[in-house]
Structure formats: structure tokens, C-alpha cells
């Protein structure tokens, strides 16, 4: 794992999940790691919801 960017800030769950997804897309990341002790299954749900929303709005293309 390489740390290439720091996008950390005080954000709502919608903001941080979208920011994480955009960063993953921009850096061609294969995995998004989340803290398991932060909401358990909520973090992966927020990431998948943000990814879907970014695809729906055309910011991130759908996989072919």
C-alpha cells in the first residue's frame, strides 16, 4: 500500500465517502480500506452508495 494523497478533513459521511471514491478512481486504486471499528458495516455501505451515486451522475464511468 502506498499513501499518495491526504484528503482527510472533517466531513459528513456522504462527503468522506464521495471523497474516498473520487480519490480511488483518480489514482486507479484497486481497494478502498476502511476502519472496521468505525461503524462496522456502515463504512462499506457508504462507500458503495457513494460509488453508485458518482456513476449515476456520470463522474465515474461504469465498468464495462
Amino acid at each position: 500500500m502506498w499513501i499518495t494523497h491526504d484528503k482527510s478533513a472533517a466531513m459528513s459521511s456522504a462527503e468522506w465517502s464521495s471523497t474516498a471514491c473520487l480519490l480511488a478512481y483518480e489514482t486507479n486504486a484497486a481497494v478502498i480500506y476502511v476502519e472496521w471499528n468505525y461503524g462496522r458495516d456502515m463504512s462499506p455501505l457508504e462507500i458503495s452508495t457513494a460509488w453508485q451515486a458518482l456513476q449515476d451522475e456520470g463522474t465515474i464511468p461504469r465498468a464495462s
Side-chain angles (χ1 to χ4, degrees):
M1 174 171 60
W2 298 96
I3 297 174
T4 60
H5 298 70
D6 181 5
K7 301 275 184 168
S8 59
M11 300 180 209
S12 70
S13 59
E15 290 171 320
W16 75 254
S17 56
S18 292
T19 300
C21 289
L22 286 170
L23 180 59
Y25 174 70
E26 292 167 5
T27 59
N28 200 27
V31 176
I32 298 174
Y33 288 98
V34 295
E35 286 187 60
W36 188 246
N37 63 345
Y38 178 71
R40 295 271 179 201
D41 59 346
M42 289 303 296
S43 296
L45 177 61
E46 291 169 357
I47 293 290
S48 66
T49 300
W51 192 272
Q52 183 67 46
L54 290 166
Q55 286 181 324
D56 290 348
E57 69 187 30
T59 304
I60 294 176
R62 298 190 189 280
S64 36

Short mmCIF file of all heavy atoms in Angstrom, two decimals:
data_model
loop_
_atom_site.label_atom_id
_atom_site.label_comp_id
_atom_site.label_asym_id
_atom_site.label_seq_id
_atom_site.Cartn_x
_atom_site.Cartn_y
_atom_site.Cartn_z
N MET A 1 0.84 -1.16 0.00
CA MET A 1 0.00 0.00 0.00
C MET A 1 0.89 1.24 0.00
O MET A 1 1.88 1.31 0.72
CB MET A 1 -0.90 -0.02 1.24
CG MET A 1 -1.70 1.24 1.39
SD MET A 1 -2.97 1.26 2.65
CE MET A 1 -2.09 0.95 4.14
N TRP A 2 0.49 2.22 -0.81
CA TRP A 2 1.18 3.50 -0.88
C TRP A 2 0.22 4.60 -0.49
O TRP A 2 -0.94 4.59 -0.88
CB TRP A 2 1.65 3.77 -2.32
CG TRP A 2 2.62 2.78 -2.82
CD1 TRP A 2 2.33 1.68 -3.59
CD2 TRP A 2 4.01 2.75 -2.60
NE1 TRP A 2 3.46 0.98 -3.85
CE2 TRP A 2 4.53 1.62 -3.26
CE3 TRP A 2 4.89 3.55 -1.90
CZ2 TRP A 2 5.86 1.29 -3.24
CZ3 TRP A 2 6.23 3.22 -1.90
CH2 TRP A 2 6.70 2.10 -2.57
N ILE A 3 0.70 5.54 0.26
CA ILE A 3 -0.11 6.72 0.58
C ILE A 3 0.38 7.84 -0.33
O ILE A 3 1.52 8.27 -0.24
CB ILE A 3 0.03 7.11 2.06
CG1 ILE A 3 -0.51 5.97 2.92
CG2 ILE A 3 -0.71 8.42 2.34
CD1 ILE A 3 -0.30 6.16 4.39
N THR A 4 -0.51 8.27 -1.22
CA THR A 4 -0.13 9.27 -2.22
C THR A 4 -0.81 10.61 -2.03
O THR A 4 -0.35 11.61 -2.53
CB THR A 4 -0.46 8.76 -3.64
OG1 THR A 4 -1.88 8.52 -3.71
CG2 THR A 4 0.29 7.47 -3.95
N HIS A 5 -1.94 10.60 -1.32
CA HIS A 5 -2.72 11.82 -1.14
C HIS A 5 -3.26 11.84 0.28
O HIS A 5 -3.47 10.79 0.88
CB HIS A 5 -3.92 11.85 -2.08
CG HIS A 5 -3.56 11.83 -3.53
ND1 HIS A 5 -3.02 10.74 -4.16
CD2 HIS A 5 -3.69 12.77 -4.48
CE1 HIS A 5 -2.84 11.01 -5.43
NE2 HIS A 5 -3.23 12.25 -5.65
N ASP A 6 -3.53 13.02 0.78
CA ASP A 6 -4.20 13.15 2.07
C ASP A 6 -5.41 14.04 1.87
O ASP A 6 -5.28 15.25 1.73
CB ASP A 6 -3.26 13.73 3.12
CG ASP A 6 -3.92 13.86 4.48
OD1 ASP A 6 -5.07 13.41 4.65
OD2 ASP A 6 -3.28 14.41 5.38
N LYS A 7 -6.56 13.45 1.82
CA LYS A 7 -7.80 14.20 1.64
C LYS A 7 -8.59 14.26 2.94
O LYS A 7 -9.77 14.55 2.95
CB LYS A 7 -8.67 13.52 0.56
CG LYS A 7 -8.03 13.42 -0.79
CD LYS A 7 -8.23 14.66 -1.57
CE LYS A 7 -7.66 14.47 -2.97
NZ LYS A 7 -8.05 15.51 -3.87
N SER A 8 -7.91 13.96 4.05
CA SER A 8 -8.61 13.93 5.34
C SER A 8 -9.06 15.33 5.74
O SER A 8 -8.38 16.32 5.50
CB SER A 8 -7.73 13.31 6.41
OG SER A 8 -6.53 14.04 6.56
N ALA A 9 -10.24 15.37 6.35
CA ALA A 9 -10.83 16.62 6.84
C ALA A 9 -12.08 16.25 7.63
O ALA A 9 -12.54 15.11 7.58
CB ALA A 9 -11.20 17.54 5.69
N ALA A 10 -12.62 17.20 8.32
CA ALA A 10 -13.90 16.98 8.99
C ALA A 10 -14.99 17.02 7.93
O ALA A 10 -15.16 18.02 7.24
CB ALA A 10 -14.13 18.07 10.04
N MET A 11 -15.68 15.88 7.75
CA MET A 11 -16.70 15.77 6.70
C MET A 11 -17.87 14.94 7.19
O MET A 11 -17.71 14.11 8.08
CB MET A 11 -16.13 15.06 5.46
CG MET A 11 -14.97 15.70 4.79
SD MET A 11 -14.48 14.69 3.37
CE MET A 11 -12.74 15.07 3.31
N SER A 12 -18.99 15.12 6.53
CA SER A 12 -20.13 14.25 6.78
C SER A 12 -19.84 12.88 6.16
O SER A 12 -18.89 12.73 5.37
CB SER A 12 -21.40 14.84 6.14
OG SER A 12 -21.30 14.76 4.73
N SER A 13 -20.65 11.90 6.49
CA SER A 13 -20.43 10.57 5.90
C SER A 13 -20.57 10.59 4.39
O SER A 13 -19.85 9.91 3.67
CB SER A 13 -21.37 9.54 6.52
OG SER A 13 -22.72 9.91 6.32
N ALA A 14 -21.50 11.39 3.87
CA ALA A 14 -21.67 11.50 2.42
C ALA A 14 -20.45 12.14 1.78
O ALA A 14 -20.00 11.72 0.71
CB ALA A 14 -22.92 12.29 2.09
N GLU A 15 -19.89 13.16 2.42
CA GLU A 15 -18.72 13.85 1.87
C GLU A 15 -17.48 12.96 1.88
O GLU A 15 -16.77 12.87 0.88
CB GLU A 15 -18.42 15.13 2.66
CG GLU A 15 -19.45 16.22 2.45
CD GLU A 15 -19.26 17.39 3.40
OE1 GLU A 15 -18.95 17.17 4.59
OE2 GLU A 15 -19.42 18.53 2.94
N TRP A 16 -17.20 12.29 3.02
CA TRP A 16 -15.97 11.50 3.07
C TRP A 16 -16.05 10.28 2.16
O TRP A 16 -15.06 9.92 1.54
CB TRP A 16 -15.56 11.11 4.49
CG TRP A 16 -16.33 10.04 5.18
CD1 TRP A 16 -17.23 10.21 6.19
CD2 TRP A 16 -16.26 8.63 4.96
NE1 TRP A 16 -17.73 8.99 6.58
CE2 TRP A 16 -17.15 8.01 5.83
CE3 TRP A 16 -15.53 7.83 4.08
CZ2 TRP A 16 -17.35 6.63 5.86
CZ3 TRP A 16 -15.73 6.45 4.11
CH2 TRP A 16 -16.62 5.87 4.99
N SER A 17 -17.24 9.68 2.04
CA SER A 17 -17.34 8.51 1.18
C SER A 17 -17.19 8.91 -0.29
O SER A 17 -16.51 8.21 -1.06
CB SER A 17 -18.64 7.76 1.42
OG SER A 17 -19.77 8.59 1.25
N SER A 18 -17.76 10.02 -0.69
CA SER A 18 -17.58 10.50 -2.07
C SER A 18 -16.13 10.89 -2.33
O SER A 18 -15.58 10.59 -3.40
CB SER A 18 -18.49 11.70 -2.35
OG SER A 18 -19.83 11.30 -2.36
N THR A 19 -15.51 11.55 -1.36
CA THR A 19 -14.10 11.94 -1.50
C THR A 19 -13.22 10.71 -1.63
O THR A 19 -12.32 10.66 -2.48
CB THR A 19 -13.66 12.78 -0.28
OG1 THR A 19 -14.47 13.97 -0.24
CG2 THR A 19 -12.20 13.17 -0.38
N ALA A 20 -13.48 9.69 -0.83
CA ALA A 20 -12.70 8.45 -0.90
C ALA A 20 -12.88 7.77 -2.26
O ALA A 20 -11.91 7.30 -2.86
CB ALA A 20 -13.11 7.50 0.22
N CYS A 21 -14.11 7.73 -2.75
CA CYS A 21 -14.36 7.11 -4.05
C CYS A 21 -13.69 7.88 -5.19
O CYS A 21 -13.11 7.28 -6.09
CB CYS A 21 -15.86 7.00 -4.31
SG CYS A 21 -16.70 5.79 -3.28
N LEU A 22 -13.77 9.20 -5.15
CA LEU A 22 -13.12 10.01 -6.19
C LEU A 22 -11.61 9.82 -6.17
O LEU A 22 -10.98 9.69 -7.22
CB LEU A 22 -13.47 11.49 -6.02
CG LEU A 22 -14.89 11.87 -6.43
CD1 LEU A 22 -15.20 13.30 -5.99
CD2 LEU A 22 -15.05 11.71 -7.93
N LEU A 23 -11.04 9.77 -4.98
CA LEU A 23 -9.60 9.56 -4.88
C LEU A 23 -9.23 8.16 -5.40
O LEU A 23 -8.24 8.02 -6.12
CB LEU A 23 -9.14 9.73 -3.44
CG LEU A 23 -7.65 9.53 -3.19
CD1 LEU A 23 -6.81 10.50 -4.02
CD2 LEU A 23 -7.33 9.70 -1.72
N ALA A 24 -10.02 7.16 -5.06
CA ALA A 24 -9.76 5.81 -5.56
C ALA A 24 -9.83 5.78 -7.08
O ALA A 24 -8.98 5.16 -7.74
CB ALA A 24 -10.76 4.83 -4.96
N TYR A 25 -10.82 6.45 -7.65
CA TYR A 25 -10.94 6.50 -9.11
C TYR A 25 -9.77 7.24 -9.74
O TYR A 25 -9.16 6.76 -10.69
CB TYR A 25 -12.27 7.15 -9.50
CG TYR A 25 -12.38 7.36 -10.98
CD1 TYR A 25 -12.54 6.28 -11.84
CD2 TYR A 25 -12.30 8.63 -11.53
CE1 TYR A 25 -12.62 6.47 -13.21
CE2 TYR A 25 -12.38 8.83 -12.88
CZ TYR A 25 -12.54 7.74 -13.74
OH TYR A 25 -12.59 7.94 -15.09
N GLU A 26 -9.43 8.40 -9.19
CA GLU A 26 -8.35 9.22 -9.75
C GLU A 26 -6.99 8.53 -9.69
O GLU A 26 -6.15 8.75 -10.55
CB GLU A 26 -8.28 10.56 -9.00
CG GLU A 26 -9.47 11.46 -9.25
CD GLU A 26 -9.55 12.63 -8.29
OE1 GLU A 26 -8.62 12.82 -7.47
OE2 GLU A 26 -10.55 13.36 -8.35
N THR A 27 -6.78 7.71 -8.68
CA THR A 27 -5.48 7.04 -8.52
C THR A 27 -5.51 5.60 -9.03
O THR A 27 -4.53 4.87 -8.88
CB THR A 27 -5.03 7.05 -7.05
OG1 THR A 27 -6.01 6.38 -6.25
CG2 THR A 27 -4.81 8.48 -6.57
N ASN A 28 -6.64 5.19 -9.61
CA ASN A 28 -6.80 3.83 -10.14
C ASN A 28 -6.57 2.78 -9.06
O ASN A 28 -5.95 1.74 -9.30
CB ASN A 28 -5.87 3.61 -11.34
CG ASN A 28 -6.32 2.46 -12.21
OD1 ASN A 28 -7.51 2.15 -12.26
ND2 ASN A 28 -5.38 1.83 -12.87
N ALA A 29 -7.07 3.05 -7.86
CA ALA A 29 -6.91 2.13 -6.73
C ALA A 29 -7.76 0.88 -6.95
O ALA A 29 -8.84 0.94 -7.52
CB ALA A 29 -7.32 2.81 -5.44
N ALA A 30 -7.26 -0.23 -6.49
CA ALA A 30 -7.99 -1.49 -6.59
C ALA A 30 -8.81 -1.78 -5.34
O ALA A 30 -9.75 -2.56 -5.37
CB ALA A 30 -7.02 -2.64 -6.84
N VAL A 31 -8.45 -1.14 -4.22
CA VAL A 31 -9.09 -1.41 -2.94
C VAL A 31 -9.25 -0.10 -2.16
O VAL A 31 -8.38 0.77 -2.22
CB VAL A 31 -8.23 -2.38 -2.09
CG1 VAL A 31 -8.84 -2.59 -0.72
CG2 VAL A 31 -8.03 -3.70 -2.80
N ILE A 32 -10.37 0.02 -1.46
CA ILE A 32 -10.56 1.11 -0.51
C ILE A 32 -10.63 0.47 0.87
O ILE A 32 -11.52 -0.34 1.14
CB ILE A 32 -11.87 1.89 -0.78
CG1 ILE A 32 -11.84 2.54 -2.16
CG2 ILE A 32 -12.09 2.95 0.31
CD1 ILE A 32 -13.14 3.22 -2.55
N TYR A 33 -9.69 0.79 1.73
CA TYR A 33 -9.68 0.27 3.09
C TYR A 33 -10.45 1.22 4.00
O TYR A 33 -10.31 2.43 3.88
CB TYR A 33 -8.25 0.14 3.62
CG TYR A 33 -7.48 -0.98 3.00
CD1 TYR A 33 -6.60 -0.75 1.95
CD2 TYR A 33 -7.63 -2.28 3.47
CE1 TYR A 33 -5.89 -1.79 1.38
CE2 TYR A 33 -6.93 -3.32 2.89
CZ TYR A 33 -6.06 -3.08 1.85
OH TYR A 33 -5.37 -4.10 1.28
N VAL A 34 -11.25 0.65 4.88
CA VAL A 34 -11.97 1.45 5.87
C VAL A 34 -11.72 0.88 7.26
O VAL A 34 -11.43 -0.30 7.41
CB VAL A 34 -13.49 1.49 5.59
CG1 VAL A 34 -13.78 2.18 4.28
CG2 VAL A 34 -14.10 0.10 5.60
N GLU A 35 -11.84 1.74 8.25
CA GLU A 35 -11.68 1.29 9.63
C GLU A 35 -12.89 0.47 10.04
O GLU A 35 -14.02 0.94 9.93
CB GLU A 35 -11.56 2.49 10.57
CG GLU A 35 -10.24 3.19 10.51
CD GLU A 35 -10.15 4.25 11.59
OE1 GLU A 35 -10.26 3.89 12.77
OE2 GLU A 35 -9.98 5.41 11.21
N TRP A 36 -12.66 -0.75 10.49
CA TRP A 36 -13.76 -1.62 10.88
C TRP A 36 -14.40 -1.13 12.18
O TRP A 36 -15.59 -1.32 12.40
CB TRP A 36 -13.26 -3.05 11.03
CG TRP A 36 -14.37 -4.03 11.25
CD1 TRP A 36 -14.61 -4.76 12.36
CD2 TRP A 36 -15.39 -4.39 10.32
NE1 TRP A 36 -15.72 -5.55 12.20
CE2 TRP A 36 -16.23 -5.34 10.94
CE3 TRP A 36 -15.71 -3.99 9.02
CZ2 TRP A 36 -17.33 -5.90 10.32
CZ3 TRP A 36 -16.82 -4.55 8.41
CH2 TRP A 36 -17.60 -5.49 9.06
N ASN A 37 -13.63 -0.49 13.04
CA ASN A 37 -14.19 -0.03 14.31
C ASN A 37 -14.98 1.26 14.15
O ASN A 37 -15.51 1.79 15.11
CB ASN A 37 -13.10 0.15 15.37
CG ASN A 37 -12.09 1.21 14.99
OD1 ASN A 37 -12.02 1.64 13.86
ND2 ASN A 37 -11.29 1.62 15.95
N TYR A 38 -15.07 1.78 12.96
CA TYR A 38 -15.84 2.99 12.70
C TYR A 38 -17.14 2.60 11.99
O TYR A 38 -17.23 2.63 10.78
CB TYR A 38 -15.04 3.97 11.85
CG TYR A 38 -15.79 5.24 11.50
CD1 TYR A 38 -16.05 6.19 12.47
CD2 TYR A 38 -16.24 5.46 10.21
CE1 TYR A 38 -16.75 7.34 12.16
CE2 TYR A 38 -16.94 6.61 9.90
CZ TYR A 38 -17.19 7.54 10.86
OH TYR A 38 -17.88 8.68 10.56
N GLY A 39 -18.12 2.16 12.74
CA GLY A 39 -19.42 1.87 12.16
C GLY A 39 -19.59 0.48 11.58
O GLY A 39 -20.60 0.20 10.96
N ARG A 40 -18.60 -0.36 11.74
CA ARG A 40 -18.67 -1.74 11.21
C ARG A 40 -19.10 -1.75 9.75
O ARG A 40 -18.39 -1.29 8.89
CB ARG A 40 -19.58 -2.61 12.06
CG ARG A 40 -19.10 -2.83 13.44
CD ARG A 40 -18.22 -4.02 13.47
NE ARG A 40 -17.73 -4.19 14.84
CZ ARG A 40 -16.68 -4.87 15.11
NH1 ARG A 40 -16.02 -5.47 14.16
NH2 ARG A 40 -16.26 -4.98 16.33
N ASP A 41 -20.27 -2.29 9.47
CA ASP A 41 -20.71 -2.44 8.09
C ASP A 41 -21.21 -1.14 7.46
O ASP A 41 -21.52 -1.11 6.27
CB ASP A 41 -21.77 -3.53 7.97
CG ASP A 41 -23.00 -3.26 8.82
OD1 ASP A 41 -22.94 -2.37 9.70
OD2 ASP A 41 -24.02 -3.94 8.61
N MET A 42 -21.28 -0.07 8.22
CA MET A 42 -21.75 1.20 7.66
C MET A 42 -20.74 1.79 6.67
O MET A 42 -21.13 2.35 5.65
CB MET A 42 -22.04 2.21 8.78
CG MET A 42 -23.27 1.88 9.60
SD MET A 42 -24.77 1.72 8.60
CE MET A 42 -24.93 3.38 7.98
N SER A 43 -19.46 1.67 6.97
CA SER A 43 -18.45 2.27 6.09
C SER A 43 -18.47 1.64 4.69
O SER A 43 -18.51 2.38 3.69
CB SER A 43 -17.06 2.16 6.71
OG SER A 43 -17.02 2.91 7.89
N PRO A 44 -18.46 0.31 4.56
CA PRO A 44 -18.54 -0.26 3.21
C PRO A 44 -19.85 0.11 2.50
O PRO A 44 -19.86 0.33 1.29
CB PRO A 44 -18.46 -1.78 3.45
CG PRO A 44 -17.74 -1.91 4.74
CD PRO A 44 -18.18 -0.72 5.57
N LEU A 45 -20.94 0.20 3.25
CA LEU A 45 -22.22 0.60 2.65
C LEU A 45 -22.14 2.03 2.13
O LEU A 45 -22.61 2.33 1.03
CB LEU A 45 -23.34 0.46 3.67
CG LEU A 45 -24.73 0.92 3.20
CD1 LEU A 45 -25.18 0.10 2.01
CD2 LEU A 45 -25.72 0.82 4.35
N GLU A 46 -21.55 2.92 2.91
CA GLU A 46 -21.41 4.31 2.47
C GLU A 46 -20.52 4.42 1.24
O GLU A 46 -20.80 5.21 0.33
CB GLU A 46 -20.87 5.17 3.62
CG GLU A 46 -21.88 5.34 4.73
CD GLU A 46 -21.30 5.94 5.99
OE1 GLU A 46 -20.08 6.19 6.05
OE2 GLU A 46 -22.07 6.16 6.92
N ILE A 47 -19.44 3.64 1.19
CA ILE A 47 -18.56 3.65 0.03
C ILE A 47 -19.30 3.15 -1.21
O ILE A 47 -19.24 3.78 -2.27
CB ILE A 47 -17.29 2.79 0.29
CG1 ILE A 47 -16.42 3.42 1.37
CG2 ILE A 47 -16.52 2.54 -1.00
CD1 ILE A 47 -15.74 4.71 0.96
N SER A 48 -20.01 2.04 -1.09
CA SER A 48 -20.71 1.51 -2.27
C SER A 48 -21.83 2.44 -2.72
O SER A 48 -22.05 2.62 -3.92
CB SER A 48 -21.24 0.10 -2.01
OG SER A 48 -22.24 0.10 -1.03
N THR A 49 -22.50 3.08 -1.77
CA THR A 49 -23.55 4.04 -2.12
C THR A 49 -22.96 5.27 -2.82
O THR A 49 -23.50 5.74 -3.83
CB THR A 49 -24.31 4.48 -0.85
OG1 THR A 49 -24.89 3.32 -0.24
CG2 THR A 49 -25.40 5.50 -1.16
N ALA A 50 -21.84 5.76 -2.33
CA ALA A 50 -21.18 6.91 -2.96
C ALA A 50 -20.69 6.56 -4.35
O ALA A 50 -20.83 7.35 -5.29
CB ALA A 50 -20.02 7.40 -2.09
N TRP A 51 -20.11 5.36 -4.50
CA TRP A 51 -19.61 4.94 -5.82
C TRP A 51 -20.75 4.89 -6.82
O TRP A 51 -20.64 5.39 -7.94
CB TRP A 51 -18.92 3.58 -5.71
CG TRP A 51 -18.14 3.23 -6.94
CD1 TRP A 51 -18.62 2.59 -8.04
CD2 TRP A 51 -16.78 3.52 -7.21
NE1 TRP A 51 -17.63 2.45 -8.98
CE2 TRP A 51 -16.49 3.01 -8.49
CE3 TRP A 51 -15.77 4.15 -6.48
CZ2 TRP A 51 -15.22 3.12 -9.05
CZ3 TRP A 51 -14.52 4.25 -7.06
CH2 TRP A 51 -14.25 3.74 -8.32
N GLN A 52 -21.87 4.31 -6.40
CA GLN A 52 -23.05 4.22 -7.27
C GLN A 52 -23.56 5.61 -7.64
O GLN A 52 -23.89 5.87 -8.80
CB GLN A 52 -24.16 3.42 -6.57
CG GLN A 52 -25.40 3.21 -7.43
CD GLN A 52 -25.13 2.30 -8.60
OE1 GLN A 52 -24.52 1.26 -8.45
NE2 GLN A 52 -25.58 2.71 -9.77
N ALA A 53 -23.61 6.51 -6.67
CA ALA A 53 -24.08 7.87 -6.94
C ALA A 53 -23.16 8.59 -7.91
O ALA A 53 -23.63 9.29 -8.82
CB ALA A 53 -24.19 8.66 -5.63
N LEU A 54 -21.86 8.42 -7.76
CA LEU A 54 -20.91 9.05 -8.68
C LEU A 54 -21.03 8.47 -10.08
O LEU A 54 -20.87 9.19 -11.07
CB LEU A 54 -19.48 8.91 -8.14
CG LEU A 54 -19.18 9.74 -6.89
CD1 LEU A 54 -17.88 9.28 -6.24
CD2 LEU A 54 -19.14 11.22 -7.21
N GLN A 55 -21.33 7.19 -10.18
CA GLN A 55 -21.57 6.60 -11.51
C GLN A 55 -22.87 7.13 -12.10
O GLN A 55 -22.93 7.45 -13.29
CB GLN A 55 -21.63 5.08 -11.41
CG GLN A 55 -20.28 4.44 -11.21
CD GLN A 55 -20.36 2.93 -11.15
OE1 GLN A 55 -21.31 2.36 -10.63
NE2 GLN A 55 -19.35 2.29 -11.69
N ASP A 56 -23.92 7.21 -11.28
CA ASP A 56 -25.22 7.69 -11.76
C ASP A 56 -25.15 9.12 -12.29
O ASP A 56 -25.82 9.45 -13.27
CB ASP A 56 -26.27 7.61 -10.65
CG ASP A 56 -26.66 6.19 -10.29
OD1 ASP A 56 -26.31 5.24 -11.04
OD2 ASP A 56 -27.31 6.00 -9.23
N GLU A 57 -24.30 9.94 -11.65
CA GLU A 57 -24.18 11.34 -12.12
C GLU A 57 -23.15 11.49 -13.22
O GLU A 57 -22.97 12.58 -13.75
CB GLU A 57 -23.89 12.27 -10.95
CG GLU A 57 -22.53 12.11 -10.33
CD GLU A 57 -22.33 12.93 -9.07
OE1 GLU A 57 -23.28 13.18 -8.33
OE2 GLU A 57 -21.16 13.30 -8.82
N GLY A 58 -22.47 10.41 -13.59
CA GLY A 58 -21.51 10.44 -14.69
C GLY A 58 -20.11 10.87 -14.32
O GLY A 58 -19.27 11.07 -15.20
N THR A 59 -19.82 11.03 -13.04
CA THR A 59 -18.49 11.43 -12.61
C THR A 59 -17.49 10.30 -12.73
O THR A 59 -16.34 10.50 -13.11
CB THR A 59 -18.54 11.94 -11.15
OG1 THR A 59 -19.49 13.01 -11.08
CG2 THR A 59 -17.20 12.43 -10.67
N ILE A 60 -17.95 9.09 -12.42
CA ILE A 60 -17.14 7.87 -12.55
C ILE A 60 -17.83 6.98 -13.57
O ILE A 60 -19.03 6.70 -13.43
CB ILE A 60 -17.02 7.13 -11.20
CG1 ILE A 60 -16.23 7.96 -10.19
CG2 ILE A 60 -16.39 5.76 -11.38
CD1 ILE A 60 -16.15 7.35 -8.81
N PRO A 61 -17.12 6.55 -14.61
CA PRO A 61 -17.77 5.69 -15.60
C PRO A 61 -18.09 4.31 -15.03
O PRO A 61 -17.41 3.82 -14.12
CB PRO A 61 -16.74 5.60 -16.72
CG PRO A 61 -15.43 5.91 -16.08
CD PRO A 61 -15.72 6.81 -14.93
N ARG A 62 -19.11 3.70 -15.56
CA ARG A 62 -19.45 2.32 -15.17
C ARG A 62 -18.46 1.36 -15.80
O ARG A 62 -17.96 1.62 -16.89
CB ARG A 62 -20.86 1.99 -15.62
CG ARG A 62 -21.89 2.86 -14.96
CD ARG A 62 -23.31 2.36 -15.22
NE ARG A 62 -24.28 3.32 -14.75
CZ ARG A 62 -24.66 3.46 -13.50
NH1 ARG A 62 -24.14 2.71 -12.57
NH2 ARG A 62 -25.56 4.36 -13.15
N ALA A 63 -18.17 0.28 -15.08
CA ALA A 63 -17.26 -0.73 -15.62
C ALA A 63 -17.91 -1.42 -16.82
O ALA A 63 -19.13 -1.61 -16.84
CB ALA A 63 -16.92 -1.76 -14.55
N SER A 64 -17.10 -1.76 -17.77
CA SER A 64 -17.66 -2.41 -18.97
C SER A 64 -17.46 -3.90 -18.93
O SER A 64 -16.82 -4.47 -18.14
CB SER A 64 -17.07 -1.87 -20.24
OG SER A 64 -15.72 -1.54 -20.12
#
